[in-house]
Amino acid sequence: MAWWQQVLAVDAKFNAYRAPNNPSFKTQYIRRRSQLLRDSNRDEDSAALKSYLKNRIGLLQQRYGITVDQLSVKSRSASVRSASRLTAEGDSPRSMSRTALSLGSGQGPEAAPPAGGLVPTYRAEASKAIVGGTSIGENYAFSGVHHIFDQHADCVTMVKFGHNDAGLLACASLDGTLSICQVNQGQPRVTHTLRKHTAGVTAFDWSFTNDLLVSGSYDGHICLWETGTGECLRAVPDQSGAQVLSCLFHPLNSNWIVAGSSRGLVQVLNVSTGHYPRGGTSKVGGQVTALSFDVGGTILWVGDDRGVIQSFLFDLGSGGLRKGKRIVVNEGSPVTCLSARTWANREARDPMLLVSCACNALVLYRVIDKEGGLRLRRKFNVRHSSHPVRSTFCPLMSFRQGACIVSGSEDCGVCFLDVERDTRPLINKLQGHASPVIGVAFNYDESLLATSDATGLVIVWKRKQER
């Protein structure tokens, strides 16, 4: 993608928040941005572009008080329709009026989603055109292995790409180290090995701007790292002296970290002070094995080793937690991964929670209220009974027929599942590992998939390019 297209994509995402009562202005703004960017003829400097995009995103988020991931379904679909028509139809007054109508009127066959529908229907011709008319199975075909990393001596418990970065990858291992890798610039390589923990690393998370990384370990410490240098900025002990089994940044404020312990404590930590705020600690029935925020950072879901999910309401100002709803996934079966996502397409309105549970199941729930209540949507059979297998949503869901999730498996495969298929939901399975697949992660544009296994091997897969 050309540099100006990347910049335009960022502006298009926020376009619904510019002059919300004046759709014509929004259309003119994004059209003029497109013209100026294409006419500037700058040389493509990857470092300068990356810095510009980071600053641009930060300024837009500060101006409109909303993150990229927090954009509503309506604003995403409207802005993407606007941007796609800009490039497809040109700058004629006629095309401008059609775009303004699509942004402002809310009328037409695309305005009202079918009841319970999750994804664009098979009659959504515009959506099919954007992805080249290919099926969901074709979209998740892979051309082979891009690179194999073997720098870790024990199970790699988690892999995760940086936010809005196609090649920045981090890995956590039971050998007590983390590694930061660059996988799409020249020869893939390990840029930093992070050494501070004295026992296995159980979980980690990137800050929104990728300049910080937080990790938790069996050694009972939460570590904060500077990703540019690999330096450990702070190591904070768990306040009860327990093992740290899960951790993550708040999606809107990287000053807040939430960690879960082997003693059942859910703990909010202020990384600036290294202190646990009053009211930011609560207890659940089992060991806290998985955590996930909704995109707005107001609801926190906590999974434990007894097969229970407990929701909490998070106070952004104080870091306080208040218990919400409780649901039993499968009694006695550990919840090993939680992933929340608002499905941002024209016909999907409901936020979802994806749950990996060690009862040979991958479970999809619909979020039904503002306290994090859940209702079962689908359950899939995945080999998972004894390892901390993880799963994730495939990030590009706006213009697809069908919607895909991906999971590791104890049968050594990587499973791709279409949640809309009533029968035979498995659409692809990658076979390359020789031991149970634990971690799975897509980069933001789905060009690369990283998977890890119980022996410490990390495979980066390259997706076939759409024609």
Side-chain angles (χ1 to χ4, degrees):
M1 180 184 292
W3 71 270
W4 66 267
Q5 291 175 309
Q6 298 180 51
V7 175
L8 183 62
V10 170
D11 280 313
K13 287 180 180 180
F14 286 89
N15 200 39
Y17 290 88
R18 296 184 181 94
N21 298 321
N22 190 346
S24 296
F25 173 80
K26 292 187 292 186
T27 303
Q28 293 170 3
Y29 176 88
I30 202 69
R31 191 178 303 282
R32 182 57 175 160
R33 282 287 286 169
S34 174
Q35 181 183 4
L36 291 172
L37 288 167
R38 282 181 291 180
D39 292 345
S40 62
N41 291 323
R42 294 185 186 177
D43 294 330
E44 295 200 20
D45 184 329
S46 59
L49 172 59
K50 184 177 179 180
S51 177
Y52 176 81
L53 283 173
K54 178 180 176 180
N55 292 334
R56 182 69 177 165
I57 291 170
L59 288 171
L60 289 170
Q61 289 176 164
Q62 182 179 4
R63 170 65 179 83
Y64 297 108
I66 193 166
T67 68
V68 172
D69 287 338
Q70 199 182 357
L71 293 172
S72 67
V73 172
K74 180 179 179 180
S75 66
R76 289 188 186 185
S77 58
S79 60
V80 172
R81 285 200 300 272
S82 174
S84 64
R85 284 175 175 153
L86 287 174
T87 57
E89 298 177 357
D91 294 332
S92 68
R94 182 179 180 184
S95 67
M96 182 182 293
S97 64
R98 283 199 296 267
T99 308
L101 178 63
S102 72
L103 287 167
S105 69
Q107 304 299 318
E110 297 174 358
L118 275 177
V119 295
T121 65
Y122 290 94
R123 298 180 62 185
E125 298 298 329
S127 294
K128 289 192 287 185
I130 289 174
V131 295
T134 54
S135 68
I136 189 169
E138 291 171 318
N139 275 305
Y140 292 105
F142 286 77
S143 58
V145 173
H146 178 64
H147 192 74
I148 297 176
F149 290 100
D150 60 356
Q151 67 269 20
H152 292 289
D154 204 342
C155 173
V156 173
T157 54
M158 188 176 184
V159 290
K160 193 170 186 179
F161 282 94
H163 300 288
N164 300 310
D165 193 310
L168 186 62
L169 175 70
C171 314
S173 173
L174 292 184
D175 66 8
T177 67
L178 299 100
S179 57
I180 299 176
C181 311
Q182 184 56 248
V183 299
N184 72 339
Q185 294 180 3
Q187 178 64 30
R189 66 197 186 281
V190 178
T191 58
H192 298 289
T193 300
L194 312 183
R195 293 185 173 91
K196 180 70 174 181
H197 291 293
T198 58
V201 182
T202 55
F204 73 90
D205 192 25
W206 293 97
S207 67
F208 182 77
T209 54
N210 300 328
D211 54 343
L212 298 174
L213 189 146
V214 62
S215 61
S217 169
Y218 287 135
D219 65 9
H221 283 77
I222 302 165
C223 288
L224 183 70
W225 309 86
E226 185 178 28
T227 58
T229 63
E231 177 187 358
C232 181
L233 301 176
R234 188 183 294 274
V236 181
D238 179 88
Q239 58 183 330
S240 65
Q243 297 174 332
V244 180
L245 304 181
S246 52
C247 62
L248 78 167
F249 281 103
H250 188 276
L252 302 184
N253 185 351
S254 295
N255 197 46
W256 294 123
I257 288 172
V258 181
S261 79
S262 59
R263 293 186 181 176
L265 291 181
V266 185
Q267 307 162 91
V268 178
L269 173 66
N270 186 318
V271 297
S272 295
T273 64
H275 295 155
Y276 295 94
R278 180 177 298 180
T281 299
S282 188
K283 187 172 176 58
V284 297
Q287 300 182 10
V288 180
T289 51
L291 300 165
S292 182
F293 273 109
D294 71 337
V295 293
T298 58
I299 303 174
L300 172 70
W301 288 278
V302 175
D304 67 23
D305 67 339
R306 298 182 181 180
V308 176
I309 297 174
Q310 174 71 55
S311 70
F312 289 86
L313 300 183
F314 183 86
D315 187 293
L316 184 57
S318 67
L321 295 173
R322 179 171 66 84
K323 282 189 176 180
K325 301 295 182 66
R326 180 179 183 272
I327 185 171
V328 178
V329 182
N330 194 77
E331 191 170 354
S333 301
V335 173
T336 61
C337 184
L338 298 174
S339 180
R341 185 71 185 264
T342 299
W343 291 39
N345 56 53
R346 286 181 287 183
E347 298 172 2
R349 303 300 174 110
D350 297 323
M352 296 283 169
L353 185 70
L354 183 63
V355 182
S356 292
C357 186
C359 58
N360 293 313
L362 181 61
V363 189
L364 185 66
Y365 288 97
R366 177 181 283 115
V367 182
I368 59 174
D369 57 44
K370 294 182 179 179
E371 292 192 340
L374 304 173
R375 179 180 299 151
L376 180 64
R377 174 68 174 83
R378 289 290 302 273
K379 182 179 286 188
F380 306 92
N381 294 323
V382 174
R383 286 280 299 277
H384 177 196
S385 60
S386 58
H387 290 79
V389 171
R390 298 182 183 273
S391 58
T392 187
F393 291 102
C394 295
L396 299 183
M397 294 182 279
S398 297
F399 304 110
R400 296 278 166 82
Q401 293 180 21
C404 194
I405 53 181
V406 60
S407 174
S409 174
E410 291 177 3
D411 65 3
C412 308
V414 182
C415 303
F416 293 79
L417 301 153
D418 183 354
V419 302
E420 282 295 277
R421 289 194 183 185
D422 294 328
T423 60
R424 303 181 67 181
L426 185 68
I427 59 173
N428 195 6
K429 191 169 187 177
L430 301 181
Q431 302 281 2
H433 292 275
S435 60
V437 178
I438 308 300
V440 292
F442 261 117
N443 64 354
Y444 81 100
D445 64 359
E446 288 189 357
S447 59
L448 297 173
L449 171 73
T451 59
S452 64
D453 66 28
T455 65
L457 197 69
V458 176
I459 299 179
V460 181
W461 310 80
K462 189 172 185 178
R463 208 187 71 172
K464 286 185 178 179
Q465 297 296 316
E466 297 173 0
R467 296 179 179 178

